[in-house]
Amino acid sequence: VSVRNYIYFLEGESSKNCAKFRKSVTVLIMVLSLISVVLIVAGCFLPLFSTEFLGIVGLAIGFHGDVGANRVSQYSLFGFIQEIIEISYELNTKNDRIGLGIVCGILLLSCLIIPLVQVAMLLVIWFQSMPPLTRSRSLVALEHCVAWELLGVVLLGCFLGVTRMGTTATLVNEQCDELQETFDTMVQYGLLTQEHSKCIDLLSRLEIGSFVTLFAKLILMGLTYLVKLAATEAQQDSFVRKRRSLALNPDDPYVMIAPVPKHFLGPLRCLLDVWREGDLSW
């Protein structure tokens, strides 16, 4: 029996002791899975963060004196991987190509392929009818996917990078205090704008790709929690039923104290239809 059609026995409930997921939960899981796939793929193409160099360094990067030039650089996951590959070819050594190639492979695997595989495994566990042993192995494989899915790590790295880049620019400017009077004079004569009146200023900000990836991460976490909890409890419930059905004496204390499943206490209880065993309407 698949998880979506599994009938849970709510032990200890006197009025309603059977439960099953509502059909709307299956629809919700399908919709959220589709949304998460779209967001995961889009998050790899959209820019995660951007940087803008101001000051004398910003003018030098622009290769001309046009103070209005656009010096904003945006970085997406795929763009970042492409730049790493270009750096490896510029270094032109075998060890650098192998090492940086492995880094690119890990980023691609952990931020795109594994999250998509994780969504596929969640759908298989939810829809596919499988024996308890196969379901247990699927849950173990799902745990490995969760461990290697690094969307949260990438988002944390982007956040820390954005917050620390400005501090680095401040440390550099402290070494240029002697030139500040010169910069102020150039501003008075219109040779520099106020925003460029320093050695370097680095403005960094999170872009839409970070928020898209964050939303995908939250949806994936919620789906994983729901499907994993439902499958785990189905495993426990079937194990208890099997042990008691095979027992020579069902009233044996060893059988009666068998572990009882969690029964979806808390917010997941509202996702279940419950009824009393033997009710003809079910």
Side-chain angles (χ1 to χ4, degrees):
V1 181
S2 62
V3 174
R4 70 188 181 101
N5 292 324
Y6 190 86
I7 298 178
Y8 300 88
F9 182 69
L10 305 183
E11 201 167 332
E13 300 280 349
S14 57
S15 58
K16 297 180 179 180
N17 56 4
C18 293
K20 179 182 176 182
F21 276 102
R22 297 175 180 174
K23 294 182 179 180
S24 57
V25 177
T26 298
V27 176
L28 178 64
I29 288 178
M30 294 177 61
V31 172
L32 291 180
S33 298
L34 179 59
I35 293 176
S36 64
V37 169
V38 173
L39 293 180
I40 290 170
V41 175
C44 294
F45 289 95
L46 295 174
L48 297 173
F49 65 96
S50 64
T51 59
E52 181 180 6
F53 286 94
L54 301 175
I56 300 300
V57 174
L59 294 176
I61 292 176
F63 296 107
H64 48 70
D66 183 7
V67 296
N70 184 15
R71 298 171 184 86
V72 179
S73 300
Q74 296 182 332
Y75 301 92
S76 64
L77 179 64
F78 283 164
F80 190 65
I81 292 176
Q82 184 178 358
E83 290 198 10
I84 293 178
I85 294 175
E86 292 176 355
I87 291 174
S88 67
Y89 279 99
E90 290 177 0
L91 295 174
N92 199 25
T93 62
K94 181 179 180 180
N95 292 336
D96 290 327
R97 289 185 180 181
I98 294 176
L100 294 178
I102 292 175
V103 172
C104 293
I106 291 176
L107 285 175
L108 184 63
L109 186 69
S110 60
C111 296
L112 177 62
I113 298 177
I114 288 182
L116 295 180
V117 172
Q118 184 176 340
V119 174
M121 291 195 62
L122 291 173
L123 294 177
V124 169
I125 294 174
W126 183 260
F127 286 98
Q128 183 66 36
S129 298
M130 58 183 71
L133 180 59
T134 303
R135 185 177 291 124
S136 297
R137 292 175 177 174
S138 299
L139 290 173
V140 172
L142 180 62
E143 288 290 345
H144 288 291
C145 288
V146 173
W148 278 95
E149 180 263 303
L150 301 181
L151 290 176
V153 176
V154 171
L155 289 174
L156 181 61
C158 292
F159 176 76
L160 293 178
V162 167
T163 55
R164 301 302 297 176
M165 285 180 185
T167 303
T168 304
T170 302
L171 294 176
V172 175
N173 282 325
E174 291 179 356
Q175 307 300 322
C176 300
D177 290 340
E178 298 178 356
L179 300 175
Q180 192 59 48
E181 293 184 2
T182 303
F183 295 151
D184 294 339
T185 302
M186 296 177 69
V187 171
Q188 292 178 359
Y189 285 97
L191 299 177
L192 285 178
T193 60
Q194 187 64 39
E195 64 179 3
H196 291 290
S197 61
K198 58 188 68 176
C199 284
I200 181 175
D201 192 9
L202 181 58
L203 303 179
S204 56
R205 62 184 68 87
L206 295 175
E207 295 293 340
I208 185 173
S210 295
F211 301 102
V212 168
T213 303
L214 176 61
F215 194 31
K217 173 67 176 177
L218 295 177
I219 294 177
L220 192 58
M221 288 176 58
L223 285 175
T224 303
Y225 176 77
L226 171 60
V227 176
K228 180 182 174 183
L229 180 60
T232 301
E233 184 165 340
Q235 291 289 93
Q236 296 176 353
D237 190 78
S238 61
F239 175 75
V240 172
R241 291 187 186 185
K242 182 177 180 181
R243 175 187 287 188
R244 291 181 176 175
S245 64
L246 297 177
L248 297 177
N249 181 13
D251 296 327
D252 188 348
Y254 176 77
V255 178
M256 296 301 294
I257 63 174
V260 179
K262 293 188 284 289
H263 300 326
F264 292 95
L265 298 177
L268 294 185
R269 193 65 177 268
C270 63
L271 304 179
L272 297 171
D273 283 322
V274 293
W275 70 94
R276 181 173 179 80
E277 187 177 15
D279 190 345
L280 297 180
S281 63
W282 291 88

